[in-house]
Amino acid sequence: MAGNRSSDDTRSVAERVFAIADAFGGPGSDDLTLGEIARRSGLPLSTTHRLVTEWVEWGGIVRTDEGRYRVGMRLWKLGMRAPTARRLRTVARPYLEDLYELTRENVHLAVRDGLGALYLERFSGRGAVPVISEVGSRLPLHATGVGLVLLAFAPADVLEQVVQAGPRRYLPNTMTTDRELRPRLADIRARDLAVSVNEMTEDSFSAAAPIRDHTGEVVAAVSIVAHADRSADPQFPLAVSVAARGISRALGWRA
């Protein structure tokens, strides 16, 4: 049984180490208990504990105050050395800086990582609305502007996985069911724009747009997060859409 294998497990040390890393790649993998890591990796609990301890010492995994585990900055930084992620950040950065200079609000760049939105870049002004996103953090797809964009353009089975995982309703406006999300995602695809008000953070609003590569595939999303009382300001959807198109063109996309 997964998580209870005996010493007849013939996997190499490297394969067991990678099994720990892979445990954080599936649905509901933002924060895992030791037992959940063992079940997902198919390793004995004692082996899991030893390997996770080594991962924590190295900095690839961090242990939260609640005793759960999540991907650490060292592992994230290692992943960011991949040419695709590095190029995306390099290409997008001037456009993100322009968005920040224009609005002095939170500006985000994110990609889909399983059922989460992984934040690759963030700019934030002193007077911007407080948000929980940080570079390297991973937030749910269903409750953030960038996440909704990435979910809208993800393969159909990703929505099914999100719903089956029992998404959290952070605030009354957060949509968590297939019935709520499906028409909303269709609207995002039609408009190339997601607007989110008070769904992840109180008194906040987000405008987000998709970024496409040279094939036309949506590979990332960019957003502005501001105070909710500015949600009617037309500059935010317009500015984020212009930035997304600019980054897409720089990646080789031709509409």
Side-chain angles (χ1 to χ4, degrees):
M1 180 181 295
N4 295 292
R5 295 192 180 192
S6 61
S7 57
D8 63 355
D9 191 333
T10 60
R11 285 179 287 181
S12 68
V13 173
E15 287 173 329
R16 296 182 187 193
V17 169
F18 292 141
I20 296 294
D22 287 341
F24 289 88
S29 60
D30 292 334
D31 295 281
L32 300 176
T33 65
L34 192 65
E36 288 169 337
I37 297 172
R39 287 193 296 274
R40 287 167 177 253
S41 64
L43 295 171
L45 191 60
S46 59
T47 302
T48 303
H49 181 267
R50 175 174 58 80
L51 292 175
V52 166
T53 299
E54 293 175 359
W55 271 99
V56 170
E57 291 175 353
W58 179 71
I61 295 174
V62 296
R63 189 174 187 271
T64 68
D65 293 338
E66 294 76 26
R68 301 176 72 87
Y69 298 88
R70 63 177 54 171
V71 172
M73 284 299 293
R74 189 164 184 179
L75 187 60
W76 179 81
K77 288 178 180 178
L78 184 63
M80 282 305 298
R81 293 177 185 173
T84 300
R86 188 167 61 243
R87 179 169 182 259
L88 177 59
R89 289 184 76 197
T90 300
V91 168
R93 191 175 182 89
Y95 298 90
L96 303 179
E97 291 174 342
D98 286 347
L99 273 181
Y100 171 69
E101 290 298 328
L102 175 67
T103 66
R104 292 289 171 173
E105 300 287 357
N106 300 288
V107 174
H108 295 133
L109 173 71
V111 296
R112 185 171 69 85
D113 178 32
L115 301 187
L118 177 63
Y119 287 74
L120 303 185
E121 194 66 272
R122 172 189 165 188
F123 292 88
S124 183
R126 181 176 297 179
V129 61
V131 293
I132 62 175
S133 57
E134 298 177 355
V135 173
S137 65
R138 187 172 176 272
L139 296 179
L141 294 175
H142 73 286
T144 61
V146 287
L148 286 165
V149 167
L150 296 168
L151 182 57
F153 291 95
D157 66 317
V158 176
L159 174 58
E160 297 174 8
Q161 293 177 48
V162 166
V163 173
Q164 289 172 3
R168 174 181 171 186
R169 192 178 295 274
Y170 292 88
L171 294 169
N173 286 353
T174 312
M175 295 186 179
T176 61
T177 67
D178 182 87
R179 184 175 181 179
E180 291 173 320
L181 287 167
R182 196 170 292 278
R184 185 176 190 187
L185 298 179
D187 180 69
I188 292 170
R189 286 191 294 271
R191 300 173 60 199
D192 265 5
L193 180 73
V195 175
S196 170
V197 182
N198 291 335
E199 295 192 47
M200 170 63 78
T201 306
E202 289 274 10
D203 190 34
S204 71
F205 124 86
S206 172
I211 295 170
R212 294 176 166 83
D213 66 9
H214 67 284
T215 69
E217 179 182 357
V218 172
V219 294
V222 59
S223 73
I224 302 171
V225 180
H227 289 277
D229 60 8
R230 304 191 71 184
S231 61
D233 191 331
Q235 76 161 322
F236 294 109
L238 176 61
V240 81
S241 295
V242 169
R245 292 192 192 104
I247 299 169
S248 298
R249 285 193 293 270
L251 290 173
W253 176 66
R254 296 293 179 265

